[in-house]
């Protein structure tokens, strides 16, 4: 008796695993179809990066102006 006859093939897949693979394949096909119908994330949730950049630079310039005013007042006090 050969090893194949005694133990079966090394890469033989049990019936349960085959049915799981078929289900997974069907699920992938459904997911791919749904993905084609959905819009991209970038379109659904646009970024507000430009708005945040504008506010950041306004904040930094405001801090600079406040620092200059504070230094001018401090310099006047001790002159």
């Amino acid at each position: 008796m050969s090893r194949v006859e005694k133990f079966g093939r090394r890469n033989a897949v049990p019936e349960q695993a085959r049915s799981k693979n078929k289900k997974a394949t069907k699920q992938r096909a459904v997911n791919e179809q749904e993905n084609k119908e959905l819009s991209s994330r970038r379109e659904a949730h646009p970024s507000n990066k430009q708005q945040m950049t504008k506010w950041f630079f306004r904040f930094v310039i405001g801090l600079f102006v406040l620092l200059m005013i504070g230094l001018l007042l401090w310099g006047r006090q001790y002159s």
Side-chain angles (χ1 to χ4, degrees):
M1 177 181 270
S2 70
R3 185 199 61 79
V4 174
E5 291 171 348
K6 187 174 181 182
F7 299 109
R9 296 193 181 273
R10 181 180 290 179
N11 59 358
V13 180
E15 186 61 36
Q16 290 176 338
R18 286 184 193 155
S19 64
K20 286 181 183 178
N21 287 340
K22 287 180 185 178
K23 288 179 185 177
T25 304
K26 288 179 184 177
Q27 186 65 31
R28 271 190 241 122
V30 169
N31 287 342
E32 288 174 7
Q33 186 179 10
E34 288 176 356
N35 287 340
K36 289 179 184 177
E37 294 171 1
L38 297 175
S39 61
S40 68
R41 187 201 178 283
R42 188 175 292 252
E43 292 170 1
H45 306 284
S47 173
N48 61 348
K49 188 175 182 179
Q50 289 178 341
Q51 183 180 6
M52 292 302 291
T53 303
K54 184 171 79 172
W55 282 103
F56 172 75
F57 281 115
R58 284 184 180 176
F59 178 73
V60 169
I61 290 171
L63 282 178
F64 179 74
V65 169
L66 288 175
L67 176 67
M68 294 304 299
I69 291 171
L71 287 174
L72 287 172
L73 293 174
W74 186 50
R76 276 186 153 185
Q77 182 182 1
Y78 290 108
S79 61

